């Protein structure tokens, strides 16, 4: 959405369900009336959790056990959105995660 909101959804076949409903967050920059906006999105699937970030700020996190995050992934862009993906980095950590 262009109002500074973000959502997390899961799609399996033709079914889609909300993991996190549309929620306004200070990290998500709304689109100005005229012009464009840049929001950098990242997802970190760690051993214990999956964390979602926008512009470097964590907007939500979920226990990894409750989500199916292994395998293919994709983006679904809403109608009328002019989306540019400039970098798509998929990395796999070779060393264990540090203890927190």
């Amino acid at each position: 959405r262009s109002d500074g909101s973000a959502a997390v959804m899961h799609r399996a076949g033709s079914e889609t369900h909300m993991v996190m409903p549309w929620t306004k967050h200070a990290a998500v920059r709304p689109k100005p009336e005229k012009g464009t906006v840049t929001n950098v999105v990242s997802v970190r699937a760690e051993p214990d959790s999956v964390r979602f970030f926008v512009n470097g700020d964590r907007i939500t996190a979920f226990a990894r056990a409750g989500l199916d995050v292994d395998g293919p992934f994709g983006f679904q862009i809403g109608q009328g959105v002019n989306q540019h993906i400039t970098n798509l980095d998929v990395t796999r950590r070779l060393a264990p995660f540090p203890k927190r």
Side-chain angles (χ1 to χ4, degrees):
R1 293 188 175 168
S2 59
D3 66 353
S5 296
V8 177
M9 298 174 216
H10 176 259
R11 185 172 182 114
S14 62
E15 295 183 22
T16 302
H17 69 272
M18 298 297 274
V19 178
M20 179 187 91
W22 287 103
T23 306
K24 285 196 176 190
H25 195 285
V28 181
R29 297 180 188 124
K31 184 182 178 299
E33 192 172 317
K34 293 187 178 190
T36 61
V37 66
T38 298
N39 283 296
V40 177
V41 177
S42 63
V43 179
R44 297 182 192 156
E46 299 185 7
D48 63 335
S49 63
V50 181
R51 298 180 177 126
F52 296 83
F53 296 82
V54 177
N55 299 319
D57 290 341
R58 188 172 86 178
I59 61 167
T60 194
F62 301 97
R64 184 177 177 129
L67 298 175
D68 182 14
V69 295
D70 296 314
F73 67 93
F75 299 95
Q76 182 172 351
I77 308 302
Q79 183 177 356
V81 175
N82 184 2
Q83 183 79 26
H84 297 271
I85 298 173
T86 54
N87 290 44
L88 177 59
D89 300 321
V90 179
T91 59
R92 183 173 299 274
R93 185 179 290 270
L94 298 176
F97 281 88
K99 300 278 185 196
R100 294 179 196 221

